[in-house]
Amino acid sequence: MSESTKNTTEKKTQSFNAEIKQLLDIVIHSLYSQKEIFIRELISNASDAIDKLKFESLTNAKLIPDNKKLEIRLAPNKETNTLQIIDTGIGMNPEEVTQFIGTIAKSGTKAFAQMNKEMKSKPELIGQFGVGFYSAFMVADTVTLHTQKAGTDIGTIWESNGDGTYSTESAVRPEGFGTTITLKLKKHNTEKTEDGNEAVQDFTDEWTLKSLVKKYSDFVAWPIQMSTSTEKENPETKVKETVIEDQTLNSQKALWLRPATEIKPEEYNEFYQHLTHDWQTPAKHVHFKAEGTTEFTSLFYFPSKKPWNYQMKDYEFGLNLYIKRVFIMENCKDLLPPYLRFTKGLVDSNDLSLNVSRELLQQDRLVTVIRKNIVSKIFSTLKDWLNKDRTEYEKFWNEFGTTLKEGIPTDPTQVEKIQDLLLFQSTNSDGLTTLEEYVSRMKPVQKEIYFITGERLETVKQSPYLEMLKQKNFEVLFLTDAVDEWVTQGLTKFKDKNLVSITKEGLSLDSEAEQKEKETVKKAQTERFAGLMEKMKTNLSEHVKDVVISDRLTETPVCLVSGQNDMSANMQKILSQMGEGAPRGETKRILEINPNHLIFEAMIKADDEQLKNWSEILFNQALLSEGNSIPNPVRFSKLIADLMISSKNH
Ligand code: ADP
């Protein structure tokens, strides 16, 4: 601590926790080819900080003194080999410094620790963990941050050389509020060039900095300033002199306000990365201007991969909201329904009132109109994508399809739109199918769209419920996402065709003519097995509510089906896994027997004791063949063993 600095307190040194140490280790050693992106990360943070200040000042004008310029400044120094990034943003108070800088971006720490192995092999994943600030350690031996929160007079100096510890001390920031980050640059910062060689990158070099700002941060809304030296001829003496001038390095033109035709794909990608801190390129972008009831511009993206925290509670969705170019808030949830939460981007409205509070936003009629517009644009984009670039759409579907499907049960007004965007696995092809394509393949005699729900694709593919449908060449959709149970409740018809579960009672696959033809046989079978089925029903009364003759089996002796209005077995399983609803078995199902199976001829001749045991074996087999567990495996094994022994004795 220097003697001359007033208002300073004792310097405190603390250790980073183990996860941050690991993270730093990776940041320092593996992110080799992309070191220069630290500049984008730090400028992004600075720009966010000014946005926040500007927003606060909407309700507290005193925060920004009249003559204060809001800007980001780069200050390179060749002699000391340092680079400073200085902003007049909101700054941080001491608690925020420890909270934001001392720990890795929030719950990211945990996710990072879990994904560590994968991360090591794919350093580009790190970007998704919000290492933002830590990227400074890729190029610097020592990072010093001096920050002071607007409206306070307590500053904090934070310093670390990335070796596992950091220090903090209080010190007033001479310039007042804002943040200065000083990077003591490494002696040699090298990067891989395209031909595989190494080139030295000097981050104190004016030209390097200028081109990096152009490349990564041109659209930042606040001026990025740098004092530059240029050779100029003195008009009087005609002698060339070095002049120091302040230069703005970015055009500051909000990307979304430029005409789409003039924006290069790289610019859209860079902007996405600036917005989301995701280092990967997005799968798609949509840029449009709405006119009519309300005027706004939107630029949104679909990421190519799920964000790392997508499944976590703290995943925040929504679009960033600007009003006449002024940043209002990040992740405005009111602009997107939750089932489109994979969409990232922004809305800039011309009509919303600037002093709208975040709370009032929800009730604003205009917000509802904007949201409607966006939702419909997302649907039309997806539809178009599906029609024009199936391969890419399928990649998107594999990442975010389960999320999109949630719209069916949660937003009945949009079912018509969403149903066209759905893709399914099915019996008919290896690939994915739309409902439209399914219908186009339907046999003339086929009346309905058939589906089966289940936990795993492999199990439903083998399911005995498919036997008769396969024989008839009727296609069946495989629905194996948990959300599908809710989807099938919300989507009962497509065009004029019913969607029918093949695991429910009353499945009728035969045409009227076929039914007539089989009538006599069926009648005879019903008569022949009536007594047997009655006995089986009594034996299994604890487990099933009825025993009937099946239409859907050709090889398997038995299967269990749910009543028309009962919950499917899969749904019961999902609910009990979620700790909700009835445990398995509370809603009894119906046992269907295959009248053509020889087992039942044998069973007619069995004595009561045998019949009891065999009924139990068959019930257990039905459970096993649908991928379920059985209530008493030990007893089941014993029954089978007894059966084997008795067959040997005959
Ligand atoms: P991210 O930006 O993804 O949240 P960072 O590690 O880059 O992650 O930053 C963590 C937090 O530290 C930021 O969310 C912000 O609150 C704070 N922060 C970083 N840089 C600045 C800055 N220049 N001014 C004010 N706050 C900052």
Side-chain angles (χ1 to χ4, degrees), residues 45-46 49 52 87 91-92 100-101 105-106 130-134 179 277:
N45 282 349
K52 280 180 202 154
D87 69 65
M92 285 176 270
F100 297 142
I101 305 294
K106 313 121 228 170
V131 282
F133 171 75
Y134 289 93
T179 302
H277 295 245

Side-chain angles (χ1 to χ4, degrees), residues 33 40 65 71 90 107 160 191 208 214 223 254 310 353 361 369-370 385 414 452 489 550 637:
S33 57
R40 173 184 78 200
E71 61 173 32
I90 192 147
S107 62
S160 173
E191 61 149 9
T208 304
K214 258 280 160 294
Y310 195 63
S353 148
L361 216 51
V369 177
I370 296 177
W385 203 10
Q414 301 289 359
I452 178 168
Q489 286 176 11
S550 183
S637 307

